[in-house]
């Protein structure tokens, strides 16, 4: 089995996370992805026992490749060696290279000799403590007038994580988090941290394949009914064109919004499996009493409870979830059915404005869906259709074709009606929610050799009804083409061009409801080279032109990264120096940043200035590591940073972060 260096693992992680940042907000929690990859690196998956959900968890495998591995095992018998992956149809050389470090052949029975005593002694356990803060004082901390909005807590942020993992069969996760500005052992946080999360997962044998008590996530079909946790949008990986639902899994992220809390189990009866689930949890939002019952004006998704208003909204809303997911597999075909009920302790009543004409209003919600996937030779067909009771429909169907070992094509059609709503829906699309959208997304990937990869896609979409900042039905296009050349385990050069055209309201002298087209053109060149086992350099430059109503705004980013590690891996450090210059917020540029373990960040670069950071990891002892990070953004054209309660007097912002982990 090939070994995977820390640098190579970091490259795979960054590749996956860079695709997420293209579509999601900054500072999204990606710890669940990193934690999963690092665990499977240490405890590789047995190719003779691995199932579809475990392979899908690696994320860089396409659905067709997952099915090819399982089909090869069914037809050819047990794997003799991991090198047998070379004979799996549709598994190109680059994917084999990425997969080998995460798999093995012939691991022992994981439940052999299991007792409570050796559960504690043989499990991998670790506890992690993290502290971070912004050094410059923000306006929210300086206000002393108790009648005004202000931050009730201090500027410190704390995180505590505990993990127990017995060979990926018994897992316990505990999270406790306090964000900057939140009270600590005061106000509604009289028990200390603002957010606590606990999940206990047991992978069973025979009929009960797995059970979770506490916080858990469900990923079903293409996400039209429910999809908890991170997901890919459009991006430079063929896997982004089709969701690979992992079904039931424990929820270990510190994100305090998109998850379920209760109990669920995955039960199998030969070709059929079912997953009943129930959840009862508190959400934050504006709940107003009324004569006809409680009215929910808004639901908060930030997880922040810093101000008196946020404290008043904290845990005001009760949400009840129940349902069942049923899967049937017969040969190459898999069909799934799901029904889910969502209830609240009040009636959702969004603002009475024109764009919300078809928005969901009510206290009870019932969604049903049917999904399927079918594999035949080099053809993979998938899809899901969902319905909101007495309301609209949503559908998402696609195909991936490996026309040649070096060429693959994909196409996806989606139609989310304007009156469809599902609380946890999360699927492929241009909009942020699964509603009011039609689109055709297609492209190709060409691998003429191990060194060269070329991906191109185009997405044509339409919004049949009004949207935020778009006061008319509208349409747009998204085009991306990326060429990548690799020096085997030494370097990589990629060139990406992306063009996006989206409608938006015109502001200024024109009427507010005048909709105009906006165009965003972006060229990215990324180069990285490993000078030696200790040194690596990375250089990236981005150029953006944003056009609205024939007026152009320009943006540019240039950064240099340097990585260094001692030969014994006791000390690792990396630093970045970045120069950015953008004419407006619309010309902003996102860029992945290395951070302390499980805390990778994706800040946006906009305005004019410099940004730099230094990360240091030092192994104090065999079982103890410590990380330190300091990052600073210095603007050359501003006298304040941020706005509202986040405003800082001066032209710079400095973040520090310290983290310690102990393993046993």
């Amino acid at each position: 089995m090939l070994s995977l260096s820390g640098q190579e693992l970091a490259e795979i992680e960054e590749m996956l996370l860079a695709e997420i940042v293209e579509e999601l907000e900054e500072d999204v929690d990606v710890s669940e992805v990193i934690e999963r990859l690092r665990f499977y690196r240490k405890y590789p998956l047995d190719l003779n026992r691995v199932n579809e959900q475990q392979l899908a968890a690696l994320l860089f495998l396409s659905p067709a490749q997952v099915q090819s591995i399982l089909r090869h095992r069914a037809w050819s018998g047990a794997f003799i060696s991991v090198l047998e992956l070379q004979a799996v149809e549709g598994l190109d050389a680059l994917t084999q290279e990425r997969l080998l470090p995460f798999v093995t052949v012939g691991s022992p029975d994981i439940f052999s000799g299991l007792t409570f005593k050796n559960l504690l002694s043989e499990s991998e356990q670790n506890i992690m403590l993290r502290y971070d803060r912004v050094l410059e004082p923000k306006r929210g901390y300086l206000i002393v007038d108790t009648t005004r909005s202000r931050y009730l807590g201090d500027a410190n942020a704390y995180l505590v994580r505990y993990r127990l993992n017995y060979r990926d069969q018994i897992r316990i996760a505990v999270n406790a988090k306090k964000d900057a500005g939140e009270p600590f052992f005061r106000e509604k946080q009289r028990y200390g941290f603002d957010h606590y999360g606990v999940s206990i997962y047991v992978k069973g044998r025979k009929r009960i394949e797995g059970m979770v008590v506490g916080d858990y996530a469900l990923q079903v079909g293409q996400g039209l009914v429910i999809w908890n946790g991170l997901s890919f949008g459009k991006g430079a990986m063929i896997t982004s064109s089709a969701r690979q639902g992992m079904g039931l899994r424990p929820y270990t992220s510190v994100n305090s919004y998109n998850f379920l809390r209760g109990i669920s189990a995955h039960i199998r009866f030969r070709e059929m499996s079912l997953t009943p689930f129930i959840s009862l949890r508190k959400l934050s939002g504006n709940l107003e009493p009324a004569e006809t019952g409680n009215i929910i004006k808004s639901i908060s998704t930030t997880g922040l409870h810093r101000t008196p208003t946020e404290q008043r909204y904290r845990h005001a809303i009760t949400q009840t979830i129940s349902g069942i997911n049923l899967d049937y597999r017969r040969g190459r075909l898999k069909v799934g059915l799901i029904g889910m009920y969502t209830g609240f302790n009040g009636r959702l009543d969004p603002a009475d404005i024109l764009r919300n004409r078809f928005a969901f209003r009510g206290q009870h919600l019932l969604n049903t869906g049917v999904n399927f996937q079918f594999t035949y030779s080099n053809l993979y067909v998938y899809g899901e259709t969902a319905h909101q009771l007495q309301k609209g429909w949503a559908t998402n169907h696609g195909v991936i074709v490996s026309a040649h070992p070096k060429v693959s094509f994909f196409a996806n059609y989606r139609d989310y009606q304007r009156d469809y709503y599902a609380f946890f829906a999360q699927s492929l699309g241009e909009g942020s929610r699964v509603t009011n959208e039609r689109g055709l997304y297609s492209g190709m990937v060409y691998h003429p050799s191990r060194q060269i990869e070329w991906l191109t896609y185009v997405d044509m979409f339409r919004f049949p009804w009004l949207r935020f900042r778009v006061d008319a039905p509208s349409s747009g296009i998204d085009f991306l083409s990326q060429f990548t050349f690799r020096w085997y385990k030494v370097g990589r050069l990629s060139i990406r061009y992306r063009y996006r055209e989206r409608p938006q309201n015109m502001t200024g002298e024109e009427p507010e409801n005048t909709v105009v087209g906006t165009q965003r053109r972006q060229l990215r060149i990324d180069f990285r080279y490993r000078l030696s086992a200790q040194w690596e350099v990375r250089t990236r430059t981005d150029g953006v032109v944003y056009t609205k109503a024939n007026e152009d705004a320009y943006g540019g980013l240039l950064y240099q990264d340097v990585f260094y590690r001692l030969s014994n891996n006791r000390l690792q450090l990396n630093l970045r120096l970045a120069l950015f210059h953008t004419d407006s917020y619309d010309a902003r540029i996102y860029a992945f940043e290395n951070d302390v373990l499980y805390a990778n960040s994706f800040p946006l670069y906009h305005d004019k200035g410099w940004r730099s950071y230094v990360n240091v990891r030092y192994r104090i002892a065999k079982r103890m590591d410590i990380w330190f990070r300091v990052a600073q953004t210095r603007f050359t054209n501003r006298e304040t940073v941020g706005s509202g309660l986040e405003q800082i007097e001066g032209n710079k912002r400095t973040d520090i972060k310290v983290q310690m982990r102990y393993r046993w």
Side-chain angles (χ1 to χ4, degrees), residues 300-319:
S300 173
T301 62
T302 65
L304 299 174
H305 304 101
R306 305 159 299 178
T307 67
T309 299
E310 291 173 345
Q311 281 283 300
R312 188 170 67 253
Y313 290 171
R314 184 178 186 266
H315 295 176
I317 301 168
T318 301
Q319 180 194 64

Side-chain angles (χ1 to χ4, degrees), residues 13 17 32 46-47 73 113 122 140 201 216 239 243 270 296 304 350 357 378 425 556 559 588 605 629 637 641 658:
E13 293 171 353
L17 301 180
E32 57 178 294
D46 184 357
L47 286 172
R73 185 178 68 189
E122 297 181 17
Y201 168 81
Y216 64 94
T239 53
R243 294 289 170 91
R270 296 186 178 180
I296 300 174
L304 299 174
R357 178 179 176 183
N378 295 326
Y559 71 66
R588 66 193 180 277
Y605 291 73
R629 184 180 200 261
N637 65 329
V641 179
V658 181

Side-chain angles (χ1 to χ4, degrees), residues 71-263:
R71 190 167 61 249
H72 178 88
R73 185 178 68 189
W75 287 355
S76 303
F79 281 85
I80 299 174
S81 166
V82 292
L83 298 180
E84 196 177 334
L85 288 171
Q86 299 175 20
V88 175
E89 190 176 19
L91 211 60
D92 59 87
L94 179 60
T95 304
Q96 293 173 33
E97 180 183 326
R98 290 172 177 166
L99 178 59
L100 280 172
F102 297 104
V103 295
T104 187
V105 169
S107 61
D109 184 356
I110 50 85
F111 281 109
S112 177
L114 174 61
T115 65
F116 180 76
K117 181 178 180 180
N118 62 29
L119 170 65
L120 295 178
S121 62
E122 297 181 17
S123 295
E124 177 183 291
Q125 300 181 68
N126 70 80
I127 187 168
M128 193 178 75
L129 310 176
R130 182 189 301 162
Y131 166 83
D132 63 270
R133 71 170 292 159
V134 176
L135 293 184
E136 292 80 11
K138 299 179 180 179
R139 176 184 291 177
Y141 302 108
L142 304 177
I143 298 174
V144 295
D145 185 350
T146 58
T147 64
R148 297 174 57 189
S149 179
R150 65 200 187 283
Y151 291 155
L152 300 175
D154 56 38
N156 300 318
Y158 308 109
L159 173 67
V160 178
R161 288 167 38 115
Y162 168 78
R163 297 290 185 270
L164 180 148
N165 197 323
Y166 181 77
R167 302 182 182 179
D168 208 32
Q169 309 304 308
I170 299 175
R171 283 179 272 169
I172 300 175
V174 179
N175 296 322
K177 183 181 72 166
K178 170 201 174 298
D179 290 303
E182 293 179 337
F184 200 42
F185 291 102
R186 292 189 296 108
E187 305 290 338
K188 288 189 177 182
Q189 276 89 291
R190 60 183 181 275
Y191 297 113
F193 293 92
D194 174 63
H195 171 71
Y196 290 94
V198 179
S199 69
I200 302 174
Y201 168 81
V202 178
K203 186 173 184 179
R205 307 177 75 180
K206 300 181 180 179
R207 290 189 176 180
I208 300 180
E209 293 194 338
M211 176 181 290
V212 180
V213 178
D215 296 348
Y216 64 94
L218 286 173
Q219 295 182 349
V220 178
Q222 296 304 303
L224 300 186
V225 175
I226 185 169
W227 190 284
N228 301 124
L230 291 174
S231 62
F232 290 102
K234 296 169 293 184
M237 289 199 308
I238 192 173
T239 53
S240 66
S241 66
R243 294 289 170 91
Q244 301 185 74
M246 290 184 284
L248 173 66
R249 60 181 182 81
Y251 184 81
T252 61
S253 170
V254 296
N255 182 293
S256 56
Y257 176 68
N258 189 19
F259 67 93
L260 302 175
R261 174 167 288 172
I263 185 169

Side-chain angles (χ1 to χ4, degrees), residues 52 283 287 313 339 357 401 404 492 506 591:
E52 179 183 351
L283 304 178
L287 180 73
Y313 290 171
R357 178 179 176 183
V401 182
H404 184 275
R492 188 183 80 183
M506 185 65 188

Side-chain angles (χ1 to χ4, degrees), residues 431-470:
S432 59
R433 304 182 70 175
V434 180
T435 187
N436 184 36
E437 181 174 347
R438 297 190 191 118
L440 179 62
Y441 172 54
S442 60
M444 61 161 288
V445 180
Y446 178 45
H447 281 284
S449 67
R450 180 194 297 265
Q451 289 78 28
I452 296 175
E453 177 186 77
W454 176 42
L455 177 139
T456 295
Y457 76 69
V458 61
D459 182 32
M460 296 175 290
F461 50 87
R462 176 171 175 77
F463 305 109
W465 187 243
L466 284 60
R467 304 172 64 242
F468 177 66
R469 297 182 68 188
V470 188

